[in-house]
Amino acid sequence: KQEVTQIPAALSVPEGENLVLNCSFTDSAIYNLQWFRQDPGKGLTSLLLIQSSQREQTSGRLNASLDKSSGRSTLYIAASQPGDSATYLCAVKTGANNLFFGTGTRLTVIP
Amino acid sequence: DAGVIQSPRHEVTEMGQEVTLRCKPISGHDYLFWYRQTMMRGLELLIYFNNNVPIDDSGMPEDRFSAKMPNASFSTLKIQPSEPRDSAVYFCASSHTGTIYEQYFGPGTRLTVT
């Protein structure tokens, strides 16, 4: 069974800093990898989706990379802002149309 | 589009009662997913439908849980009888095969069983 791990579990940074969130998965046979943001008490918002044939995707200050062979993905956030404070989840899609989620990284950006 | 709609947003019930959670997917989406999120286990897929047909229910924890999708715009997740360990946030998500399988999530239903 696919297992997804996210490190660190929590991260606190001062505003303006660049940061990297890590995601690793055990089975490299994936269709895609998706990064989500979850605010307290809210649902999940999709940030970026990387197909298995792609190496990275960018959206504004966010850049996600994928190294399928090593089972790793990173989410890079540039010039962090207090509004970026949330829990960030990565999820990998397998052929069974199932999304396997990591346990998330809780990010706090201090003004 | 209003996105995925779930109701109720919060549900508090006593152990042994029947609970029904509702979901309206995004119009035109042909996949619908039910997830459960707890502190201990994170987000787990319970069941998913394609064109209103259940495809994989291997994540449904036990026979107390059942899900239906009578039409393309409505699905229910029922727990009968409910137990305190069912307390969690239940999410519904939908996606469309014509896109890149990106899943869109509803706001969730926070269930508390006392």
Side-chain angles (χ1 to χ4, degrees), chain A residues 15 37 39 61 79-86 88 107-111:
Chain A
E15 180 177 2
R37 168 186 173 137
D39 292 283
R61 295 183 293 108
S80 58
Q81 302 171 358
D84 295 331
S85 298
Y88 291 81
L107 172 65
T108 302
V109 180
I110 304 165

Side-chain angles (χ1 to χ4, degrees), chain B residues 7-39:
Chain B
S7 65
R9 294 294 311 277
H10 302 274
E11 177 81 33
V12 180
T13 191
E14 291 184 347
M15 178 176 156
Q17 296 298 307
E18 177 180 295
V19 175
T20 299
L21 312 180
R22 298 173 176 78
C23 175
K24 176 180 169 54
I26 292 173
S27 176
H29 282 193
D30 51 355
Y31 281 87
L32 183 139
F33 306 82
W34 282 102
Y35 291 88
R36 178 172 66 176
Q37 186 177 39
T38 61
M39 290 292 291

Side-chain angles (χ1 to χ4, degrees), chain B residues 36 46 57-65 86:
Chain B
R36 178 172 66 176
L46 299 177
D57 65 355
S58 59
M60 297 285 261
E62 46 197 277
D63 292 345
R64 298 184 298 104
F65 286 70
D86 301 331

Side-chain angles (χ1 to χ4, degrees), chain B residues 2-111:
Chain B
V4 176
I5 299 172
Q6 290 187 247
S7 65
R9 294 294 311 277
H10 302 274
E11 177 81 33
V12 180
T13 191
E14 291 184 347
M15 178 176 156
Q17 296 298 307
E18 177 180 295
V19 175
T20 299
L21 312 180
R22 298 173 176 78
C23 175
K24 176 180 169 54
I26 292 173
S27 176
H29 282 193
D30 51 355
Y31 281 87
L32 183 139
F33 306 82
W34 282 102
Y35 291 88
R36 178 172 66 176
Q37 186 177 39
T38 61
M39 290 292 291
M40 290 295 294
R41 301 174 67 90
L43 261 165
E44 300 174 290
L45 178 69
L46 299 177
I47 184 171
Y48 78 90
F49 296 82
N50 178 219
N51 292 321
N52 313 337
V53 176
I55 303 299
D56 184 353
D57 65 355
S58 59
M60 297 285 261
E62 46 197 277
D63 292 345
R64 298 184 298 104
F65 286 70
S66 63
K68 294 182 180 179
M69 192 165 186
N71 57 62
S73 59
F74 184 66
S75 176
T76 59
L77 178 67
K78 187 176 292 186
I79 308 172
Q80 166 64 22
S82 58
E83 297 182 3
R85 61 193 168 118
D86 301 331
S87 297
V89 182
Y90 291 82
F91 288 102
C92 176
S94 68
S95 69
H96 181 233
T97 51
T99 63
I100 48 177
Y101 295 96
E102 186 170 357
Q103 292 191 16
Y104 295 84
F105 281 71
T109 295
R110 181 175 296 276
L111 173 65

